[in-house]
């Protein structure tokens, strides 16, 4: 089993095919998988592949994070390239294996050209196949997403999971120039469940920075600690949008009210759907639940509080 791998995913129209390939990739790699969407790779293996308008990148990314939520602790990083890079992409972790669903004979040459030292020189190429993918589960490609120059979001980002990855990926996707991410400091975490198990602020900020640098390095990211629910969203007048989850959308309205009071333009609110936990109950994936698993079995049920601030996974919305 390999520690880190690069997956060249060329067949991206079928949900079932993508699910089968991702599942197989997670059996081959135990820690990190970089997913490069490469439609038509077998047609022209020398040209850097990017998704076009008929193959909506964001919809494919959403599907990948939804289906990989059941794959344990494998860290999936979907590359958000929309333009041909001027130089080979650089990853934080060197890939030990090249995984592909394409029959292109020179996948290794393609990786050498576009990923350079991010892929180990001796990395083998392993071909993955989807067996009898369903034809009635195509990934939609008609969603139109508003793009902005400067976007922002906030959260705790403890026990980094697929909900965080999707939140950051969507925020980076709609950002053309800059993304500001606020990470909750100790003051905002006083009422969090099992706050003693929350990772240190510096560690959480570093994880966010690394993820964004790996997935969309073209966008300038600014990672800042925040000690109140508003953070830089009411400080930077040049911001255009804020990305929130469904459960924190109301907080974005409060931010816009504050901005209007300060004679700043209102932010476009980009809302993403929650990722289910994958258990028997239709609950969202939660850092709190992960901390409970780290702790072990609960000796008694947690006290229910009327204050919702102690049960939210991330401080809304910043």
């Amino acid at each position: 089993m390999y520690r880190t791998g690069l997956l060249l995913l060329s067949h991206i129209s079928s949900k079932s095919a993508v699910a089968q390939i991702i599942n197989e990739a997670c059996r081959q790699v135990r820690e990190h998988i970089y997913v490069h969407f490469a439609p038509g790779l077998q047609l022209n293996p020398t040209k850097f592949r990017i998704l076009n308008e008929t193959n909506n990148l964001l919809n494919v990314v959403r599907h990948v994070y939804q289906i990989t939520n059941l794959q344990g602790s494998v860290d999936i990083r979907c590359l958000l390239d929309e333009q041909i890079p001027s130089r080979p992409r650089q990853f934080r972790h060197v890939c030990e294996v090249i995984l592909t669903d394409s029959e292109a004979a020179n996948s290794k040459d393609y990786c050498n050209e576009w990923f350079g030292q991010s892929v180990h020189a001796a990395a083998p190429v392993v071909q993955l196949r989807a067996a009898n993918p369903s034809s009635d589960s195509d990934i939609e490609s008609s969603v139109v997403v508003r793009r902005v120059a400067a976007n922002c979001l906030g959260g705790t980002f403890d026990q980094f999971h697929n909900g965080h990855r999707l939140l950051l990926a969507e925020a980076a996707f709609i950002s053309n120039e800059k993304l500001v991410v606020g990470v909750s400091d100790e003051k905002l975490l006083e009422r969090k469940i099992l706050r003693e198990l929350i990772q240190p602020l510096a560690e959480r900020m570093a994880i966010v920075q690394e993820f964004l640098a790996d997935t969309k390095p073209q966008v300038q990211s600014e990672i800042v600690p925040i000690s109140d629910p508003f953070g830089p969203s009411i400080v930077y007048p040049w911001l255009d949008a804020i990305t929130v989850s469904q459960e924190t959308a109301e907080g974005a309205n409060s931010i816009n009210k504050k901005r209007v009071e300060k004679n700043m333009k209102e932010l476009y609110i980009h809302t993403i759907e929650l990722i289910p936990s994958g258990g028997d109950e239709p609950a969202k994936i939660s850092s709190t639940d992960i901390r409970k698993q780290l702790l072990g079995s609960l000796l008694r049920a947690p006290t229910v509080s009327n204050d919702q601030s102690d049960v939210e996974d991330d401080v809304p919305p910043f």
Side-chain angles (χ1 to χ4, degrees):
M1 196 172 194
Y2 302 96
R3 178 179 178 182
T4 302
L6 171 63
L7 172 59
L8 306 179
L9 192 59
S10 64
H11 299 95
I12 56 173
S13 59
S14 168
K15 286 185 177 180
S16 61
V18 171
Q20 290 182 50
I21 295 299
I22 293 292
N23 290 340
E24 181 59 32
C26 289
R27 296 187 188 99
Q28 300 277 346
V29 178
R30 67 177 184 273
E31 291 189 17
H32 311 282
I33 298 178
Y34 292 93
V35 182
H36 172 52
F37 303 106
L41 179 62
Q42 67 276 10
L43 301 179
N44 189 351
T46 62
K47 181 180 178 181
F48 187 83
R49 311 307 302 181
I50 56 177
L51 288 177
N52 54 34
E53 294 180 357
T54 61
N55 294 306
N56 189 285
L57 174 60
L58 187 54
N59 276 341
V60 181
V61 170
R62 288 171 176 169
H63 182 58
V64 166
Y65 283 128
Q66 289 169 355
I67 63 178
T68 57
N69 190 39
L70 303 179
Q71 302 305 319
S73 58
V74 180
D75 174 20
I76 306 290
R77 302 189 179 188
C78 296
L79 307 185
L80 303 176
D81 296 287
E82 296 180 272
Q83 297 178 346
I84 297 176
S86 58
R87 58 181 182 272
R89 291 280 259 107
Q90 294 182 338
F91 302 149
R92 174 64 179 82
H93 307 278
V94 176
C95 298
E96 302 171 350
V97 62
I98 300 169
L99 307 169
T100 180
D101 65 341
S102 169
E103 297 180 358
N106 53 351
S107 297
K108 189 67 173 289
D109 293 338
Y110 179 86
C111 291
N112 290 338
E113 177 74 20
W114 299 110
F115 300 102
Q117 295 181 354
S118 292
V119 178
H120 196 282
V125 178
V126 177
Q127 188 170 356
L128 309 178
R129 297 182 183 275
N132 302 318
S134 172
S135 60
D136 59 354
S137 59
D138 290 345
I139 296 176
E140 298 178 1
S141 60
S142 59
V143 173
V144 177
V145 179
R146 178 175 172 179
R147 312 298 282 269
V148 299
N151 188 17
C152 68
L153 76 154
T156 305
F157 300 105
D158 179 49
Q159 310 302 328
F160 202 66
H161 54 65
N162 272 2
H164 298 139
R165 294 184 183 97
L166 179 58
L167 182 69
L168 290 170
E170 288 216 21
F173 178 83
I174 71 170
S175 306
N176 291 329
E177 298 177 10
K178 187 160 185 174
L179 177 61
V180 180
V181 182
V183 181
S184 306
D185 68 7
E186 287 73 11
K187 182 179 180 180
L188 273 177
L189 304 178
E190 291 178 351
R191 295 184 175 180
K192 283 278 190 178
I193 295 176
L194 298 178
R195 68 181 185 277
E196 298 85 359
L197 297 181
I198 294 177
Q199 296 163 299
L201 174 63
E203 183 177 341
R204 290 180 281 121
M205 292 178 64
I207 291 173
V208 171
Q209 181 69 66
E210 178 182 304
F211 179 84
L212 292 174
D214 266 349
T215 54
K216 195 173 182 181
Q218 303 89 342
V219 171
Q220 180 185 1
S221 58
E222 179 181 350
I223 318 300
V224 298
I226 55 173
S227 56
D228 64 71
F230 298 100
S233 64
I234 61 171
V235 177
Y236 295 160
W238 40 264
L239 288 170
D240 302 306
I242 182 170
T243 298
V244 296
S245 64
Q246 290 172 324
E247 64 177 3
T248 61
E250 186 57 38
N253 294 327
S254 299
I255 284 175
N256 273 336
K257 290 179 181 179
K258 287 280 188 180
R259 288 180 64 90
V260 170
E261 292 173 0
K262 302 178 71 171
N263 296 317
M264 297 181 184
K265 64 182 177 183
E266 292 190 37
L267 301 176
Y268 161 64
I269 301 173
H270 178 74
T271 306
I272 71 168
E273 297 181 3
L274 299 174
I275 293 183
S277 64
D280 294 332
E281 299 297 329
K284 71 181 182 74
I285 186 172
S286 165
S287 296
T288 299
D289 291 340
I290 296 175
R291 288 196 296 273
K292 289 178 180 178
Q293 294 171 10
L294 291 174
L295 180 66
S297 301
L298 293 175
L299 298 180
R300 59 191 175 95
T303 303
V304 177
S305 170
N306 292 327
D307 188 344
Q308 292 297 310
S309 61
D310 65 343
V311 296
E312 294 292 342
D313 183 40
D314 282 304
V315 178
F318 233 86

